[in-house]
Amino acid sequence: MTTKMINFLKKYEIWVFLTLAPLLNFVITFVKSKGIIEFFPYTNGRFYALFFLLVFIVKITKGNEGIKNLFRPMAVWKVHPKWYLFSLLFAFTIGLITLAIKSIYHNDISFLQFQLYIPTLKFTLFLLSWAFLGEVVWIGYAVRVLSKKINSFLATQIIGFVWSLWWLPSVYINVGVIEDLPVWPLFLNMMGAAGMCAIV
């Protein structure tokens, strides 16, 4: 890699990452859609590919210290218990509110009938690993870095938009996402989640 390219990468690091991240998942999803890779490597691989893309960029721009800084926010565990409670109840509460609004709109309370799903230990571990990687990449890195350049809320909405673009190919082939998920709720969800991070 030439000095000119390294300098460009150092200057526009966050924007290079935000451009390459959705493109990377597009390529991985395209390969999956052609049957070249199976469900399991696709579902897990896209998260790890995203993470290693970030590590590669940060290694070039900031060296080993930059890589350590990616994980430093994860070492802070002494936070108020209300935030742990918030993190445990947030998704469930949003889902319940959504079902309640849908039931009122359709005048049909059967939407509120749901079964509690208890995932397997294997799936739970994979889910936690994806959440960990997403936390390091999108929130720990992207929001933190972009917030130094622009208003925090605007930064989170840009991240949320790019985050949605990253998910978009998976939604298009309907693999590894909520089945038949429309595009607009995807953007609403990811931009909302990112915006919430600015407030938190």
Side-chain angles (χ1 to χ4, degrees), residues 8-33:
F8 177 86
L9 195 54
K10 286 181 178 179
K11 186 175 181 180
Y12 300 106
E13 176 189 304
I14 182 66
W15 300 111
V16 170
F17 172 73
L18 293 178
T19 301
L20 292 180
L23 291 175
L24 177 64
N25 195 41
F26 173 80
V27 171
I28 294 169
T29 306
F30 179 77
V31 170
K32 167 68 181 90
S33 71

Side-chain angles (χ1 to χ4, degrees), residues 9-80:
L9 195 54
K10 286 181 178 179
K11 186 175 181 180
Y12 300 106
E13 176 189 304
I14 182 66
W15 300 111
V16 170
F17 172 73
L18 293 178
T19 301
L20 292 180
L23 291 175
L24 177 64
N25 195 41
F26 173 80
V27 171
I28 294 169
T29 306
F30 179 77
V31 170
K32 167 68 181 90
S33 71
K34 296 298 180 186
I36 298 170
I37 57 174
E38 297 300 319
F39 177 79
F40 183 80
Y42 166 71
T43 303
N44 294 283
R46 59 195 169 139
F47 289 97
Y48 288 97
L50 175 71
F51 173 72
F52 286 120
L53 170 67
L54 176 60
V55 168
F56 175 73
I57 290 172
V58 171
K59 171 69 176 172
I60 292 171
T61 58
K62 295 185 176 75
N64 291 333
E65 191 60 31
I67 294 173
K68 289 178 187 175
N69 286 335
L70 290 177
F71 297 97
R72 209 154 266 148
M74 302 297 290
V76 180
W77 290 92
K78 292 182 179 179
V79 295
H80 195 283

Side-chain angles (χ1 to χ4, degrees), residues 48-189:
Y48 288 97
L50 175 71
F51 173 72
F52 286 120
L53 170 67
L54 176 60
V55 168
F56 175 73
I57 290 172
V58 171
K59 171 69 176 172
I60 292 171
T61 58
K62 295 185 176 75
N64 291 333
E65 191 60 31
I67 294 173
K68 289 178 187 175
N69 286 335
L70 290 177
F71 297 97
R72 209 154 266 148
M74 302 297 290
V76 180
W77 290 92
K78 292 182 179 179
V79 295
H80 195 283
K82 70 179 180 182
W83 295 118
Y84 288 103
L85 185 63
F86 175 82
S87 66
L88 289 171
L89 295 178
F90 178 75
F92 176 78
T93 306
I94 292 296
L96 199 58
I97 291 170
T98 304
L99 287 174
I101 292 170
K102 190 173 181 180
S103 70
I104 292 167
Y105 180 78
H106 290 282
N107 196 24
D108 180 5
I109 62 167
S110 65
F111 286 112
L112 292 174
Q113 296 174 0
F114 57 89
Q115 293 179 339
L116 186 62
Y117 169 70
I118 301 174
T120 63
L121 177 61
K122 183 179 178 181
F123 179 76
T124 301
L125 292 175
F126 279 125
L127 192 63
L128 288 173
S129 72
W130 303 335
F132 175 79
L133 294 174
E135 170 67 26
V136 170
V137 172
W138 296 114
I139 309 306
Y141 166 76
V143 170
R144 190 172 71 242
V145 171
L146 198 57
S147 292
K148 292 176 183 175
K149 301 178 182 297
I150 57 176
N151 171 279
S152 291
F153 184 74
L154 179 59
T156 62
Q157 293 311 283
I158 292 171
I159 301 303
F161 183 79
V162 176
W163 201 353
S164 302
L165 291 178
W166 184 83
W167 277 104
L168 197 57
S170 302
V171 170
Y172 180 73
I173 68 166
N174 211 21
V175 174
V177 292
I178 298 169
E179 288 186 10
D180 302 319
L181 177 68
V183 170
W184 73 264
L186 166 72
F187 279 82
L188 181 65
N189 180 59

